[in-house]
Amino acid sequence: MTQSVIGSHKFDLDTPVLCIDLDIMESNIQKMSDYILSRGKTWRPHEKCHKTPAIALAQMEAGAIGVTCAKVSEAEVMAAAGVKDILIANMIVGKTKWERVVSLCRHARPIIACDHFAQIEPLAKMCADAGVVCRMMPEVNIGLNRVGSRPGQDTLDLAMAIDKLEGVELAGIMGYEGHLLQVQDPEEKQQKIEEAMRTLVGCKTAIEAKGIQCEIVSAGGTGSYQITSNCEGITELQAGGGIFADPMYVNKCSLTGLDYSLSVLATVVSRPEKGRMVLDCGRKTMHPDFQLPLVKAWPDAEVTALSAEHCAVNLGPESQDLKIGDKIELIPGYADFTTILHENFYGFRNDRLEVVWPIQGRGKIQ
């Protein structure tokens, strides 16, 4: 498809196609921004759910200060589009990547996460030799047990090392409470997140006690931001996926107040039984493992399985009249792993195609 289809009605397009309801997404963006900013925090949303500069810029228009990325290549895409304040929330290792970070520092203001001196010293030397300064941010392991320095002396030693090296400077610290997103009891979830945030803020206190400025304390995913935003001492939130409000976040992480804005338009290609249909979209169109897709506008229809190119749906009394050739929409269970399967977003307002956005960060894994 090309821009020549702008103005088309959604259900006139070929399928499958990845769709955004622009009104709902823009509402979600504003709601997230208002929620976070009203609590005295800043918003640096992770772009992994959309990987699209146009959406990042829309988030910034609504109050975000920049973006969070996972890879240098993603940061390069964002910087080329005019997004300057970029946190790469991952450990960056290797001469080639460090050289790219040095170049990025000439065009943007990246912050690089770290959890070991071996990630910092070579980059610091390259930056100093090139006459640039790169901001660094130790990630603290606050319970996820993935990466991160241990709270206490290890994190303090890392911050002190950054402070002493030419070519880098300490921007702050970060932590991710990802292990707590799906705690089902609301009181338990709040208590555990607050405890994790106290651990993170305690590291900032220890760093500043040594006379080192630690401005940023960054945390918060979509499944926790409505709690983390209220935690004392946290300065910025990285939550990004709420702009699409995936069913996974709503059903498994208790996300509230946001609406589904992402869908996949699909066609009924087979009706093998009265109570079953098959659509032209499968695992190569949507990621089903965390949460199966929902059938939009047909509440008695239920997705039961996805193979490579087929989606099997059981039908109830209200949906049994759907026939071969009909088009319906599915709500992907998890956007992050669905977005990367597509080349473009198709943005609609009142079901009319308004914009086609290339997903420019797709495939940027280095």
Side-chain angles (χ1 to χ4, degrees), residues 276-337:
R276 187 164 64 92
M277 68 179 177
V278 179
L279 308 174
D280 63 344
C281 56
R283 286 177 172 266
K284 294 182 180 181
T285 302
M286 294 176 293
H287 181 83
D289 293 351
F290 299 147
Q291 166 82 48
L292 283 172
L294 306 179
V295 183
K296 185 176 179 180
W298 299 99
D300 70 337
E302 180 182 4
V303 174
T304 58
L306 278 80
S307 53
E309 301 287 6
H310 299 86
C311 176
V313 183
N314 284 351
L315 304 174
E318 295 180 3
S319 55
Q320 284 183 359
D321 290 337
L322 286 165
K323 60 185 182 299
I324 291 175
D326 285 344
K327 294 178 182 179
I328 66 168
E329 289 182 86
L330 301 175
I331 309 297
Y334 187 50
D336 293 14
F337 291 169

Side-chain angles (χ1 to χ4, degrees), residues 10-30:
K10 180 186 293 183
F11 287 83
D12 290 336
L13 297 183
D14 199 5
T15 63
V17 61
L18 188 60
C19 308
I20 296 175
D21 185 309
L22 295 172
D23 286 329
I24 297 177
M25 185 187 72
E26 289 164 4
S27 174
N28 288 342
I29 288 173
Q30 197 62 59

Side-chain angles (χ1 to χ4, degrees), residues 26 37 155 212 246 275 299 311:
E26 289 164 4
L37 271 60
T155 297
I212 302 171
D246 305 345
C311 176

Side-chain angles (χ1 to χ4, degrees), residues 89-103:
N90 210 338
M91 281 68 245
I92 304 304
V93 176
K95 183 174 182 291
T96 300
K97 289 186 177 65
W98 289 324
E99 288 174 343
R100 289 165 63 192
V101 169
V102 170
S103 296

